[in-house]
Amino acid sequence: MAGPALSVEAARLVLGRAGYGAAPGQAEALAASGLAPWVRAQLALRGDDAATAAGLAALRLPVRVPGQAAEDMLPLARLTAPQEENYALLTLANPALSIAVERVRLDLQAATVFRKVHSQAQLYERMVEFWHDHFSVDAAAGSSVRVSMVEHDRRLRAHALGDFRQLLEAVATSPAMLLYLNNNTSRAGAPNENYARELLELHTLGQPAYFGGARSNAQVPRDRDGLPAGYVDADVWEAARAFTGWAMAAGQGVDRGRR
């Protein structure tokens, strides 16, 4: 059933905010059909449509190796490589290392722009961008984070229009997030609270729910169901202790005798 009619101007606004702008004739079509059918169709789309997938497979990026006269036109190989393969690039010697690490970033950037321009799943791509902002990881934090960004993107894409609980766990075990917030080195007896604090303050409850002046969770106001309406530092510390079990097999020390 068609929804209320939209003006063409309103339709362009929708397509520019819930997507990445109107293709020729798209605003007029949306104005005629109404918003509801478009939203239902967009919510049914997940991931790359066949044309977008084919376009990504055909895309080539110019890469010039130092000392090489001509550029090579290379496919987005890092985009489809598993996390283990991309992470193994860190074992390469310079200058091959810097080129390979940058390829991971550039492949993902190229794919991101291509999808925004060509994908039919515009709302989905907008939500992928939203979750990248919400679960922010800075690729400039280091090479190990940079080579893990493709896997981080895969996890966000898998749950972009899905269940938030599942998305939250996928992000918590994302190698890029574990590295960026130092949880890969957090261990029993020496927990690192960076991820736990980010989880509570930014990813879920938010800073207004922080009752740092309270000495214990028992002093936090209750909601209508009698549950704590926020968190205190003790909750951060306990969450950090719980998350010491989530790490990466990347050679870091566990104790004096084990890695």
Side-chain angles (χ1 to χ4, degrees), residues 87 175 178-186 246-248 250 252-253:
Y87 200 83
L178 292 169
L179 289 159
Y180 179 53
L181 293 178
N182 313 116
N183 210 75
N184 62 310
T185 60
S186 187
W246 291 7
M248 287 181 59
Q252 70 273 22

Side-chain angles (χ1 to χ4, degrees), residues 126-169:
R126 181 64 90 178
M127 288 306 299
V128 171
E129 181 181 25
F130 174 85
W131 292 126
H132 266 290
D133 289 341
H134 186 74
F135 296 109
S136 179
V137 169
D138 186 2
S143 296
S144 59
V145 176
R146 203 167 306 155
V147 296
S148 302
M149 287 303 298
V150 164
E151 172 65 17
H152 189 68
D153 180 72
R154 286 193 194 113
R155 290 168 182 250
L156 298 181
R157 295 182 66 79
H159 300 282
L161 289 175
D163 180 84
F164 181 74
R165 169 64 178 78
Q166 294 176 4
L167 171 60
L168 193 63
E169 183 169 349

Side-chain angles (χ1 to χ4, degrees), residues 17-227:
R17 290 188 175 180
Y20 292 96
Q26 192 175 17
E28 291 77 9
L30 175 56
S33 67
L35 184 60
W38 183 85
V39 171
R40 284 195 295 269
Q42 286 291 307
L43 290 174
L45 298 175
R46 296 287 195 280
D48 296 327
D49 53 79
T52 302
L56 287 171
L59 197 60
R60 297 293 183 270
L61 289 183
V63 177
R64 177 175 293 171
V65 177
Q68 181 176 300
E71 293 178 334
D72 290 327
M73 301 301 293
L74 301 179
L76 307 186
R78 297 299 105 206
L79 194 67
T80 55
Q83 165 66 13
E84 293 81 3
E85 184 177 317
N86 283 340
Y87 200 83
L89 296 173
L90 298 175
T91 63
L92 297 176
N94 286 320
L97 170 60
S98 59
I99 296 171
V101 169
E102 283 305 296
R103 276 300 309 276
V104 180
R105 179 180 65 84
L106 292 173
D107 282 8
L108 180 57
Q109 285 186 342
T112 298
V113 173
F114 187 89
R115 284 163 167 155
K116 289 178 178 181
V117 174
H118 296 288
S119 177
Q120 296 298 310
Q122 288 283 287
L123 180 60
Y124 171 81
E125 294 300 333
R126 181 64 90 178
M127 288 306 299
V128 171
E129 181 181 25
F130 174 85
W131 292 126
H132 266 290
D133 289 341
H134 186 74
F135 296 109
S136 179
V137 169
D138 186 2
S143 296
S144 59
V145 176
R146 203 167 306 155
V147 296
S148 302
M149 287 303 298
V150 164
E151 172 65 17
H152 189 68
D153 180 72
R154 286 193 194 113
R155 290 168 182 250
L156 298 181
R157 295 182 66 79
H159 300 282
L161 289 175
D163 180 84
F164 181 74
R165 169 64 178 78
Q166 294 176 4
L167 171 60
L168 193 63
E169 183 169 349
V171 170
T173 54
S174 165
M177 186 65 78
L178 292 169
L179 289 159
Y180 179 53
L181 293 178
N182 313 116
N183 210 75
N184 62 310
T185 60
S186 187
R187 59 190 186 275
N192 186 306
E193 71 176 54
N194 284 1
Y195 176 70
R197 191 167 294 277
E198 196 100 338
L199 172 72
L200 295 172
E201 183 174 314
L202 297 178
H203 296 169
T204 56
L205 298 178
Q207 196 277 333
Y210 175 54
F211 292 86
R215 298 186 63 182
S216 73
N217 193 274
Q219 296 176 320
V220 174
R222 265 35 190 177
D223 62 18
R224 62 184 180 181
D225 297 320
L227 299 174

